[in-house]
Amino acid sequence: MTSKKQMRATLLAVRDQMPLPVRAKKSASACANAVTDLSQHKTVAVYHAIRSELHPDALVASLRASGATTLYPRVLAHSRVLEFCVVRSDSDLAPGTLGILEPKAELPPYPLCDIDALLVPALGFDATGQRLGWGQGHYDHTLAQCPNATRVGICFQEQIVDSVPSEATDVPMHIVVTDAKRYEGARNTSAAQREPS
């Protein structure tokens, strides 16, 4: 069985080797495919892409145009649970502790329990909604605090694998969307049932 470490290295290489114009085209297609699942929600947590990650900019623009409130994550040094803040434009973002653009320090945190849906990035997903992240556990710990929110994973089709090795603390996605396909994930599994210890 392929370990998570090996799978991370393989999928990161696949993503990094994808030409920029191809990544841009695939990002736009994936965003278009995710609109239906997310536009019905009033408050949606999104993310700012890093490196060769799928860029959700077109989806964020669509959500804002439909009247949705968008939130971005902030990494806290003393916690594995992410903090989300309302971000209305890129001017509300600044480099954070990991060098990733995050909500500026003066923006107040938004209650996790009030988030309607979360758009979740990853190095890979499988068709059942299992997610392969960077191994820090930030999203798993955060999703456990949002048991009623819809969890939508997004990635390039090349990041879909047959099976992601999973543990009891891993929180699966309800839906996974790529540039080519939509997968129904763990619709009957709540994050509360899999809360990390």
Side-chain angles (χ1 to χ4, degrees):
M1 180 184 290
T2 304
S3 70
K4 284 188 175 183
K5 183 177 180 180
Q6 292 171 313
M7 192 173 286
R8 284 187 187 101
T10 298
L11 290 174
L12 181 59
V14 168
R15 204 177 69 184
D16 285 347
Q17 291 166 13
M18 197 180 296
L20 182 58
V22 174
R23 289 206 307 268
K25 183 177 180 180
K26 285 176 169 287
S27 291
S29 295
C31 287
N33 292 340
V35 168
T36 301
D37 289 304
L38 290 171
S39 61
Q40 58 187 304
H41 299 288
K42 294 181 179 178
T43 307
V44 183
V46 295
Y47 68 93
H48 193 281
I50 59 169
R51 296 175 56 178
S52 57
E53 206 164 48
L54 188 151
H55 280 256
D57 302 3
L59 177 57
V60 173
S62 294
L63 291 172
R64 288 175 177 164
S66 70
T69 297
T70 54
L71 305 101
Y72 281 75
R74 178 190 288 146
V75 177
L76 302 175
H78 59 279
S79 175
R80 293 174 77 182
V81 176
L82 296 169
E83 190 172 74
F84 283 86
C85 306
V86 174
V87 169
R88 305 190 189 284
S89 71
D90 284 351
S91 62
D92 290 332
L93 300 171
T97 54
L98 300 179
I100 302 170
L101 289 179
E102 297 182 347
K104 290 182 177 178
E106 62 268 22
L107 294 177
Y110 192 88
L112 291 176
C113 60
D114 290 341
I115 297 175
D116 297 322
L118 297 100
L119 182 70
V120 184
L123 286 169
F125 294 99
D126 64 26
T128 69
Q130 289 296 338
R131 172 181 177 272
L132 181 72
W134 287 98
Q136 301 299 312
H138 285 110
Y139 268 100
D140 286 319
H141 282 77
T142 304
L143 294 172
Q145 305 297 316
C146 311
N148 299 317
T150 299
R151 307 185 294 272
V152 179
I154 191 166
C155 69
F156 300 119
Q157 183 63 34
E158 288 81 354
Q159 293 173 262
I160 297 294
V161 298
D162 290 337
S163 178
V164 172
S166 63
E167 301 167 10
T169 55
D170 294 336
V171 179
M173 302 296 103
H174 293 127
I175 303 160
V176 176
V177 179
T178 75
D179 51 284
K181 196 170 179 180
R182 178 184 182 278
Y183 300 86
E184 282 287 347
R187 274 296 187 186
N188 298 319
T189 305
S190 77
Q193 291 174 322
R194 303 173 70 93
E195 184 170 355
S197 57

